[in-house]
Amino acid sequence: EVQLVESGGGLVQPGESLRLSCTASGFIFSDYWMYWVRQAPGKGLELVALIDNNGIITNYADSVKGRFTISRDNAKNTVFLQMNSLEIEDTAAYYCAIDSRGNRRGQGTQVTVSS
């Protein structure tokens, strides 16, 4: 059974940083591309970042390019999302997923950016 457990969310002020983690189990982590998606209040799921199974290829939504960095540690079955220069518009529930649409995702971690 695929299990994805996110952590690291919280309440921060604009301009601050957070690092999200997602620990995976139930599948061969190093075989899968991994994704971070988010859902803001009243909106649909948005793909934020992706990383290939080797940690070489990454891509980002235009809204987070230059501020967010996705990485992974295959030895620890963990994918990370470093979020810098957070903006109020980044407020959302963040999920890691094993598909780009976020259909197979964890329970999420809340990120709230507020002054």
Side-chain angles (χ1 to χ4, degrees), residues 7-32:
S7 61
L11 172 62
V12 297
Q13 294 187 339
E16 294 186 337
S17 298
L18 280 173
R19 188 190 196 209
L20 306 184
S21 300
C22 169
T23 302
S25 62
F27 63 102
I28 302 175
F29 182 74
S30 58
D31 283 352
Y32 281 77

Side-chain angles (χ1 to χ4, degrees), residues 46-69:
E46 175 190 17
L47 178 61
V48 174
L50 62 85
I51 188 166
D52 77 321
N53 57 312
N54 294 313
I56 297 173
I57 299 170
T58 61
N59 205 358
Y60 301 91
D62 287 343
S63 58
V64 307
K65 274 182 184 175
R67 300 187 298 120
F68 289 13
T69 303

